[in-house]
């Protein structure tokens, strides 16, 4: 256990609070100090309301002193990606167009966190509207990778990953549409998890692609990810796509060692284009499972090649419609140069959106246009079904699927920003799980020679998060690569 | 050349639900602007729609009412367009899987005169789908104001086949549709509150041809008479264009009710590409047979079926049923009264004459709804019975009806209180008749010499002396006996 509060895991903080070794206010102050010290270099936060943070901490301490603690999350800070609504706090989605917007309501995940006593703090950087894989597409400046400030933290939830890696928050929330939690988790050396579609309410999450988006946790350990998912998941009557089921006890699940498992390696994921060191570290992680007595077999997901084109049709089509509400009429940036109603839309959006967002809105509108719908959107949806079937077939043979999270470790700032296709390929291993709606996580599995972290990607079966955590925890409990602190 | 008209209607009806279609905010009219809103209505970042069960159920009811095929599965689509009346810049609607298809609306065409039943015909429906209503824009000199109170209200779009052939049929269709929807409790269909709105597709073609002419869509037809007038004008306009050798352009035109003409809004080339696609925020709805069967049990009798029953079984004349049947509450009042007094014709006459007259002049706003009236079927049935058993004359009944109506006192109590019970005591009446003959020899003489009408003066004396409580029939008999006829 670490002696420094801001280096502790959420489980350790909960323990320190429960045993009176630390107060919530001390914890909050420790993270404020840490953010003051390092965020100038990392730039994980877009906004912090430290006063509100401390007020929540005071309230938590008061509850505890009266014997009314709300449980293991009471007094534990959770910072959130700037697409999740928190009442009274700004929500910019890293876009100019939402520069002055303050959310008048709490997202369901935030309601659940507050009910559990968690201290909801700060707005974390991202690629504008979660569109990107490097957090360079933020209207408010890029986030830097805590392991090498010249490198990107991944994206789109780069701020959420970097904040945990830099120990500016013990837990953060991100959102994952095609890998936006898992890829930055891998690049920043932390745990990042995308739940099954429908497991966590999307109410209050500014939508990018509604049929793919899920909110999920970042943490140093798998155990912490389980704790945070426990708090935020469950059926929500305000989200029609929320799955009506009981949430199992994840922490109890990971306490049990997994029985002998059959783990699948999709051959399509282990072809060319994987960095040699990434390959090496992932192979070592796979070897660990073999050594533990689990069976590792090669499987095939034949539709893998199509997942990127299918994703960029479906996600952009949904985005073109979801982002139509940012129009300069009500709460969004309005151009001073508009001469008429059409101008208000065109110029406000022209000024308010960045290049990548515009590119995707145009692509999506095109894919939905009359005459092109059948050839693009409809065909993509049909292919999506085939991709899902690939996974269903695979899971008839295996319990979980292992792949690298990202083909490369963190790349340098600017390296791919002029080449959208190269950027899109960063998500090649993560995208198909969103299309299939499956749960998956990235767990740190070591460092390259220059000290950049690498992640192991584990894909589980729908709504079997408990099994997924158990598989991941078996590795993480032994290796704990996420506990290593970068020098800042 | 002679032309005939073909018209199809798209009718929008707000469904009477407690809350809006996708959120728990109340539905309403006349509230201060932008007060019936929440994150969902305003399309704030992160807000999500949740389907209103009542809206779906009422849509299925409408389908059953109008004999439609109900979809086994229906889904929700986004209709994308930029316009400030819709905060999300897309409207949630149904594109290719509407909740109801086919079906029909029975209409009655005008008869020779109001007392004669006109011809009946069934107008085919294409589809009915459910969507969310949009906000309301008000344009001022320099600004446009938007009120989202209406936005997100559940709205049914009822689309007819091009199956109407005159402005009169359009009028009849709208009336019949409105009656049916009000009957079934789907909507109040108050056009002034925007609860029922209508667009008309109008085309003309040479008489005897089968293919449809180029259609023009008419908008802003805000009242039922507005629809009739707008369609009438558009037929004349199109006819004169063709007669002058021109061609009809496929376009949308706006009806200007004050100036009474239509103006072009947009042509086909300017039509939107709405980029419809299934709304990923909503799940499709599966409509199971048991659900439909359960709802079928509550389908009310349709107005025209009721009218036929009243005429065939209760023997009511058309002039009475046509006054009763458009109003469901009135029908219920009539049926209960008729059941209590077993005098359907008498009950019906009271309802359509006296009750309607009192209702139309009572209340603060010059008319009162039956729901708010103090009179009940028990009151009216008692009144009918009092006349039938000879306790009071029909004149007395007519006289006390306004008091029964306004106070809610039982008729028998009023009769007792005021001593209005009819006198049939022949002893007393015989004395009075003798007095009448004695006091008016002139009338007596005239009657005896064959002037039948002269007896009325003698009767009048007796009625006056009894303050109207004498049974006129008995008085007549005694007088005739004493006068020796």
């Amino acid at each position: 256990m670490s002696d420094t509060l801001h280096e502790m895991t959420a489980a350790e903080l909960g323990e320190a609070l429960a045993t009176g070794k630390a107060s919530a206010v001390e914890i909050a102050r420790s993270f404020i100090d840490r953010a003051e010290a390092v965020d100038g270099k990392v730039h994980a936060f877009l906004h912090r309301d430290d006063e509100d943070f401390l007020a929540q901490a005071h309230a938590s301490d008061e509850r505890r002193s009266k014997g009314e603690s709300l449980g293991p999350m009471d007094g534990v800070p959770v910072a959130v990606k700037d697409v999740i609504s928190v009442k009274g706090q700004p929500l910019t989605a890293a876009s100019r167009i939402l520069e002055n917007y303050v959310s008048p309501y709490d997202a369901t995940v935030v309601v659940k966190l507050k009910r559990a006593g968690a201290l909801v703090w700060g707005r974390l950087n991202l690629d504008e509207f979660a569109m990107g894989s490097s957090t360079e597409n933020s209207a408010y400046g890029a986030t830097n990778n805590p392991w090498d400030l010249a490198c990107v933290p991944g994206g789109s939830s780069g701020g959420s990953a970097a904040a945990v890696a830099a120990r500016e928050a013990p837990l953060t929330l991100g959102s994952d549409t095609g890998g936006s939690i898992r890829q930055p988790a891998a690049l920043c050396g932390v745990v990042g998890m995308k739940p099954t579609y429908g497991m966590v309410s999307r109410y209050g999450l500014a939508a990018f692609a509604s049929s793919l988006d899920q909110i999920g946790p970042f943490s140093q350990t798998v155990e912490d990810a389980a704790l945070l998912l426990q708090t935020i998941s469950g059926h929500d009557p305000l989200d029609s796509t929320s799955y009506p089921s009981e949430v199992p006890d994840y922490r109890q699940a990971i306490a049990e060692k997994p029985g002998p498992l059959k783990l699948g390696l999709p051959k399509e994921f282990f072809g060319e284009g994987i960095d040699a060191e990434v390959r090496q570290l992932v192979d070592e992680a796979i070897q660990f499972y073999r050594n533990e007595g689990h069976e590792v077999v090669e499987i095939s997901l034949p539709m893998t090649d199509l997942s990127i084109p299918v994703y960029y049709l479906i996600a952009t089509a949904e985005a073109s419609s979801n982002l139509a509400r940012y129009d300069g009429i009500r709460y969004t940036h309005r151009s001073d140069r508009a001469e008429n109603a059409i101008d208000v839309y065109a110029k406000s959006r022209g000024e308010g959106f960045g290049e990548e967002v515009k590119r995707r809105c145009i692509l999506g509108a095109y894919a939905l246009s009359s005459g092109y719908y059948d050839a693009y959107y409809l065909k993509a949806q049909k292919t999506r079904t085939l991709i899902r079937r690939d996974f269903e077939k695979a899971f008839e043979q295996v319990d979980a699927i292992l792949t690298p999270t990202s083909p490369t470790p963190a790349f340098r700032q600017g390296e791919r920003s002029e080449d959208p296709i190269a950027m899109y390929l960063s998500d090649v291993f993560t995208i198909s799980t969103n299309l299939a709606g499956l749960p998956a996580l990235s767990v740190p599995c070591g460092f390259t020679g220059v000290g950049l972290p690498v992640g192991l990607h584990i894909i589980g079966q729908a709504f079997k998060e408990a099994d997924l955590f158990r598989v991941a925890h078996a590795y993480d409990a032994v290796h704990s690569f996420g506990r290593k602190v970068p020098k800042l | 050349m002679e032309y005939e008209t073909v018209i199809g209607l798209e009718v929008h009806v707000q469904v009477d639900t407690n809350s809006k279609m996708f959120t728990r905010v109340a539905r309403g009219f006349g509230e201060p602007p932008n007060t019936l809103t929440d994150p969902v209505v305003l399309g704030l970042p992160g807000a999500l729609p949740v389907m209103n069960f009542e809206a779906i159920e009422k849509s299925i009811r409408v389908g059953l009412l109008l004999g439609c095929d109900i979809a086994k599965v229906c889904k929700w689509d986004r209709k994308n367009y930029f316009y400030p009346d819709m905060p999300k810049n897309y409207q949630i609607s149904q594109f290719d899987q509407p909740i109801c298809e086919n079906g029909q609306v029975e209409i009655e065409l005008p008869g020779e005169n109001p007392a004669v039943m006109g011809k009946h015909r069934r107008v085919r429906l294409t589809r009915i789908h459910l969507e969310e209503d949009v906000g309301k824009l008000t344009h001022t000199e320099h600004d446009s104001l938007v009120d989202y109170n209406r936005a997100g209200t559940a709205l049914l779009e009822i689309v007819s086949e091009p199956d109407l052939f005159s402005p009169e049929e359009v009028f009849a269709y709208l009336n019949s549709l409105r009656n049916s929807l009000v009957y079934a409790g789907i909507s109040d269909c108050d056009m002034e509150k925007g609860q029922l709105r209508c667009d008309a597709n109008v085309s003309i073609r040479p008489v005897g041809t089968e293919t449809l002419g180029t259609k023009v869509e008419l908008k802003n037809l805000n009242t039922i008479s507005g629809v009739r007038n707008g369609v009438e004008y558009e037929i004349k306009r199109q006819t004169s264009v063709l007669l002058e050798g021109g061609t009809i352009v496929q376009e949308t035109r706006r009806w200007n009710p004050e100036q009474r003409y239509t103006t072009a809004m947009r042509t086909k080339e300017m039509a939107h590409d709405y980029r419809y696609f299934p709304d990923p925020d909503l799940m499709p709805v599966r409509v199971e047979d048991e659900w439909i069967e359960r709802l079928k049990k509550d389908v009310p009798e349709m107005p025209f079926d009721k009218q036929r029953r009243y005429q065939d079984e209760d023997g009511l004349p058309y002039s009475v049923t046509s006054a009763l049947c458009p109003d469901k509450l009135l029908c219920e009042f009539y049926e209960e009264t008729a059941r209590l007094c077993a005098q359907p014709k008498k009950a019906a006459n009271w309802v359509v004459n006296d009750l309607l007259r009192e209702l139309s002049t009572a209340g603060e706003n010059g008319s009162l709804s039956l729901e708010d009236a103090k009179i009940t079927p028990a009151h009216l049935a008692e009144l009918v019975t009092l006349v039938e058993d000879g306790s009071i004359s029909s004149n007395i009944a007519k006289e006390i009806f306004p008091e029964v109506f306004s106070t809610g006192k039982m008729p028998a109590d009023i009769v007792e209180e005021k001593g209005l019970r009819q006198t049939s005591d022949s002893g007393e009446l015989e004395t009075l008749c003798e007095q009448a003959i004695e006091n008016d020899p002139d009338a007596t003489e005239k009657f005896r010499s064959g002037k039948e009408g002269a007896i009325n003066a003698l009767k009048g004396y007796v009625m006056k002396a009894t303050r109207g409580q004498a049974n006129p029939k008995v008085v007549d008999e005694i007088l005739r006996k004493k006068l020796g006829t």
Side-chain angles (χ1 to χ4, degrees):
Chain A
M1 188 194 260
S2 174
D3 291 335
T4 319
L5 287 174
H6 69 254
E7 290 187 359
M8 288 185 180
T9 64
E12 289 166 355
L13 290 170
E15 186 65 23
L17 284 160
T19 55
K21 286 192 185 128
S23 70
V25 169
E26 283 165 351
I27 290 170
R29 281 194 206 287
S30 167
F31 283 101
I32 291 168
D33 291 347
R34 176 66 179 173
E36 284 293 317
V38 302
D39 206 52
K41 295 175 190 168
V42 178
H43 191 232
F45 284 97
L46 290 178
H47 176 83
R48 285 175 13 219
D49 188 341
D50 295 343
E51 216 171 289
D52 175 67
F53 185 27
L54 287 167
Q56 292 179 62
H58 272 292
S60 169
D61 286 336
E62 209 149 291
R63 278 194 298 273
R64 195 174 295 277
S65 70
K66 287 187 203 152
E68 293 166 1
S69 167
L70 298 169
M73 287 293 287
D74 199 342
V76 177
V78 179
V80 300
K81 187 178 181 178
D82 198 19
V83 277
I84 297 170
S85 306
V86 177
K87 190 175 180 176
Q89 298 294 330
L91 184 157
T92 69
S95 180
R96 286 274 168 234
I97 209 157
L98 281 168
E99 204 163 16
N100 298 312
Y101 174 72
V102 173
S103 181
Y105 74 103
D106 279 332
T108 297
V109 290
V110 172
V111 170
K112 285 176 183 275
L113 286 173
K114 287 180 175 174
R115 266 190 215 138
L119 316 179
V120 180
W121 173 53
R123 312 294 303 167
L124 295 165
N125 204 7
L126 64 147
D127 287 298
E128 184 178 0
F129 284 105
M131 295 177 184
S133 308
S134 67
T135 316
E136 292 167 296
N137 300 336
S138 166
Y140 306 101
T143 295
N144 303 315
N145 192 313
W147 294 96
D148 180 348
L149 297 172
C151 284
V152 303
S156 67
S157 311
S160 304
V164 173
R167 302 301 187 256
E168 297 179 69
L171 297 170
T172 61
L173 289 181
S175 65
D176 191 317
T177 308
S180 279
I181 289 175
R182 293 157 289 158
Q183 185 258 15
L187 270 49
C188 289
V190 297
V191 174
M193 197 262 184
K194 179 200 98 72
T196 311
Y197 184 78
M199 200 63 210
V200 176
S201 169
R202 294 184 296 115
Y203 189 78
L205 168 69
F208 160 18
S210 314
S211 74
L212 300 159
D213 295 343
Q214 271 291 284
I215 295 172
F218 284 92
S219 56
Q220 295 175 36
T221 64
V222 170
E223 183 191 9
D224 272 11
L227 173 68
L228 184 49
L229 185 68
Q230 188 86 55
T231 312
I232 61 169
S233 51
H235 180 243
D236 179 11
L238 296 180
D239 176 359
S240 312
T241 62
S242 158
Y243 187 71
S245 73
E246 290 295 302
V247 182
D249 187 335
Y250 297 132
R251 291 178 89 197
Q252 196 188 328
I254 59 171
E256 300 157 20
K257 233 182 152 163
L261 298 168
K262 212 168 173 184
L263 303 171
L265 307 180
K267 62 179 183 199
E268 292 81 3
F269 285 56
F270 286 88
E272 281 172 35
I274 304 177
D275 175 275
E277 285 182 282
V278 169
R279 178 79 202 236
Q280 175 66 27
L281 292 166
V282 168
D283 280 346
E284 285 171 19
I286 293 166
Q287 190 54 43
F288 164 82
Y289 283 105
R290 282 204 190 91
N291 296 344
E292 289 287 295
H294 304 297
E295 189 185 347
V296 177
V297 296
E298 188 183 87
I299 57 165
S300 175
L301 297 167
M303 304 302 286
T304 299
D305 272 357
L306 292 173
S307 57
I308 286 194
V310 164
Y311 174 85
Y312 279 97
L313 283 169
I314 292 172
T316 58
E318 292 180 7
S320 73
S321 174
N322 283 334
L323 270 61
R325 66 188 63 194
Y326 309 118
D327 59 3
I329 301 286
R330 298 168 312 279
Y331 51 83
T332 39
H333 164 79
R334 180 183 292 190
S335 174
D336 297 331
R337 302 180 297 123
E339 304 276 335
N340 55 48
I342 297 294
D343 247 19
V344 171
Y345 295 129
K347 295 206 168 108
S348 303
R349 288 165 69 82
E351 292 165 8
F353 285 145
E355 288 307 306
E356 185 60 26
V357 171
K358 286 180 201 166
R359 174 164 31 241
R360 296 199 194 188
C361 285
I362 292 167
L363 274 173
Y366 187 79
L368 291 175
S369 296
S370 138
Y372 296 98
Y373 179 86
D374 289 358
Y376 293 120
Y377 186 77
L378 198 62
K379 191 163 266 180
Q381 286 292 10
K382 288 177 178 170
T383 313
R384 182 180 184 175
T385 306
L386 297 178
I387 291 170
R388 186 180 292 131
R389 287 209 190 124
D390 263 7
F391 278 101
E392 283 166 7
K393 259 191 215 150
F395 280 117
E396 287 169 10
Q397 297 174 53
V398 298
D399 302 298
I401 295 170
L402 307 180
T403 82
T405 306
S406 163
T408 66
F411 44 92
R412 303 187 74 77
Q413 310 265 8
E415 192 182 305
R416 296 182 190 174
S417 47
E418 294 308 312
D419 185 354
I421 300 295
M423 191 69 91
Y424 293 173
L425 290 171
S426 311
D427 296 328
V428 63
F429 297 143
T430 48
I431 268 179
S432 54
T433 47
N434 295 76
L435 291 169
L438 299 172
L441 58 72
S442 180
V443 59
C445 65
F447 295 83
T448 62
V450 295
L452 288 173
V454 168
L456 171 71
H457 188 217
I458 310 176
I459 306 167
Q461 300 182 54
F463 301 108
K464 293 195 173 169
E465 274 77 4
D467 293 344
L468 178 62
F469 281 134
R470 199 180 290 128
V471 174
H473 182 67
Y475 176 87
D476 191 46
V478 177
H479 298 88
S480 299
F481 287 114
R483 299 303 313 269
K484 212 174 159 202
V485 186
K487 288 190 179 64
L488 281 165
Chain B
M1 194 181 300
E2 254 195 86
Y3 293 98
E4 67 176 6
T5 310
V6 182
I7 305 152
L9 290 185
E10 287 172 23
V11 176
H12 286 95
V13 177
Q14 285 186 350
V15 185
D16 186 357
T17 51
N18 284 328
S19 55
K20 290 191 178 184
M21 186 161 156
F22 295 113
T23 184
R24 47 178 77 143
V25 169
R27 187 183 69 92
F29 180 83
E31 301 297 322
N34 295 306
T35 52
L36 302 175
T37 59
D38 72 352
V40 176
V41 174
L42 294 175
L44 296 186
L48 294 173
V50 178
M51 191 68 215
N52 183 325
F53 180 79
E54 196 187 1
I56 297 191
E57 193 158 286
K58 286 206 162 150
S59 305
I60 298 173
R61 280 182 207 275
V62 173
L64 294 173
L65 200 67
L66 302 177
C68 302
D69 302 324
I70 311 296
K72 296 270 177 221
V73 176
C74 60
K75 67 177 175 69
W76 316 100
D77 301 286
R78 292 187 184 177
K79 179 180 180 179
N80 295 284
Y81 63 92
F82 280 96
Y83 200 63
D85 64 1
M86 202 66 246
K88 304 184 296 296
N89 288 311
Y90 61 80
Q91 181 189 25
I92 304 176
S93 181
Q94 295 191 290
F95 180 50
D96 56 350
Q97 284 174 253
I99 192 155
C100 308
E101 287 184 279
N102 304 318
Q104 70 267 319
V105 173
E106 182 178 359
I107 63 168
E108 178 181 341
L109 300 170
E112 284 164 38
N113 67 60
V116 177
M117 185 162 83
K119 222 178 86 190
H120 281 231
R121 191 163 76 73
R122 288 176 192 273
V123 176
R124 289 169 298 148
L125 296 177
T126 311
R127 58 182 272 166
I128 302 174
H129 71 252
L130 186 56
E131 61 188 20
E132 55 178 335
D133 208 345
V134 297
K136 203 171 157 72
L137 292 181
T138 310
H139 301 287
T140 63
E141 201 181 338
H142 296 293
D143 298 298
S144 292
L145 303 172
V146 58
D147 177 5
Y148 292 119
N149 281 354
R150 195 179 73 182
T153 300
L155 191 68
L156 281 172
E157 182 173 323
I158 303 172
V159 183
S160 85
E161 289 285 294
D163 215 6
L164 294 157
F165 303 99
S166 69
E168 289 69 36
E169 292 198 356
V170 167
F171 187 76
Y173 173 86
L174 286 173
N175 270 322
S176 169
L177 184 61
R178 183 169 63 175
N179 286 345
S180 304
L181 296 174
V182 172
Y183 252 61
I186 303 301
S187 172
D188 293 339
C189 293
D190 188 337
M191 286 187 94
E192 275 178 24
K193 292 180 181 172
Q195 291 169 348
L196 188 148
R197 312 195 289 274
C198 176
D199 301 334
N201 289 307
V202 181
S203 65
I204 62 171
R205 64 184 174 196
V207 171
T209 53
E210 287 293 317
T211 44
L212 292 169
T214 305
K215 72 171 178 187
V216 168
E217 185 178 3
L218 283 189
K219 288 198 178 285
N220 202 40
L221 305 167
N222 292 331
T223 59
I224 288 195
S225 60
V227 181
R228 184 157 64 173
N229 295 337
V231 169
E232 208 162 83
Y233 171 85
E234 184 56 26
I235 294 167
K236 281 188 198 145
R237 189 192 70 84
Q238 291 187 18
T239 310
S240 66
V241 167
L242 290 184
L243 288 176
E244 284 161 21
T247 47
I248 307 296
V249 183
Q250 185 174 338
E251 61 185 349
T252 303
R253 297 180 72 87
R254 180 189 164 85
W255 169 244
N256 304 286
E258 290 83 22
Q259 297 88 357
R260 299 174 72 89
Y261 64 87
T262 62
T263 43
M265 283 170 79
R266 57 173 182 262
T267 60
K268 190 190 175 189
E269 285 69 38
M270 291 153 76
H272 294 285
D273 178 355
Y274 290 120
R275 305 192 310 278
Y276 279 103
F277 77 108
D279 191 332
D281 287 330
L282 290 162
M283 295 283 121
V285 172
R286 190 167 63 223
V287 184
E288 310 210 316
D289 291 344
E290 299 88 84
W291 192 7
I292 295 179
E293 289 308 315
R294 182 167 60 73
L295 294 178
K296 265 186 188 165
K297 289 183 190 135
D298 307 333
V299 173
E301 185 181 28
M302 294 288 280
F304 284 131
D305 293 332
K306 206 182 270 292
Q307 189 170 11
R308 281 185 277 267
R309 178 164 63 83
Y310 289 171
Q311 288 171 202
D312 298 346
E313 292 177 17
D314 296 352
L316 303 186
Y318 173 78
S319 57
V320 170
T321 59
S322 61
L324 274 179
C325 289
D327 188 333
K328 191 185 182 194
L329 278 182
L330 207 61
C331 288
E332 283 166 5
F333 195 99
Y334 153 70
E335 288 195 30
E336 181 60 7
T337 307
R339 192 186 65 80
L340 291 171
C341 68
Q343 295 282 343
K345 282 189 194 168
K346 294 244 159 55
N349 279 328
W350 277 102
V351 170
V352 299
N353 295 318
D354 303 82
L355 179 58
L356 280 183
R357 185 192 59 237
E358 291 301 323
L359 285 171
S360 69
T361 54
E364 282 170 24
N365 308 320
S367 77
L368 191 72
S369 83
L370 188 51
E371 277 171 300
D372 299 330
K374 289 179 178 154
I375 190 167
T376 67
H379 290 90
L380 187 53
E382 188 173 284
L383 195 62
V384 172
T385 308
L386 286 172
V387 176
E388 281 315 297
D389 68 11
S391 302
I392 57 171
S393 66
S394 52
N395 283 340
I396 292 290
K398 296 269 176 201
E399 239 168 68
I400 67 166
F401 183 79
E403 190 178 344
V404 175
F405 178 87
S406 60
T407 63
K409 278 190 194 164
M410 290 308 285
D413 293 343
I414 297 174
V415 167
E416 262 345 290
E417 215 171 88
K418 300 201 165 164
L420 296 174
R421 195 165 284 275
Q422 198 159 247
T423 305
S424 303
D425 178 340
S426 49
E428 189 192 338
L429 290 180
E430 288 210 17
T431 316
L432 285 170
C433 285
E434 279 162 20
Q435 280 176 15
I437 294 166
E438 256 171 56
N439 289 350
D440 198 344
D442 190 34
T444 306
E445 195 47 46
K446 276 182 181 162
F447 178 77
R448 283 188 171 134
S449 60
K451 283 199 173 155
E452 179 69 19
I455 199 170
N456 288 335
L458 303 175
K459 275 188 200 168
Y461 175 89
V462 180
M463 295 311 285
K464 200 175 170 189
T466 59
R467 287 177 297 133
Q469 291 166 49
N471 185 330
K473 237 165 104 189
V474 179
V475 174
D476 188 77
E477 275 167 28
I478 297 172
L479 279 173
R480 283 176 195 276
K481 194 176 75 196
K482 294 208 180 287
L483 290 166
T485 52

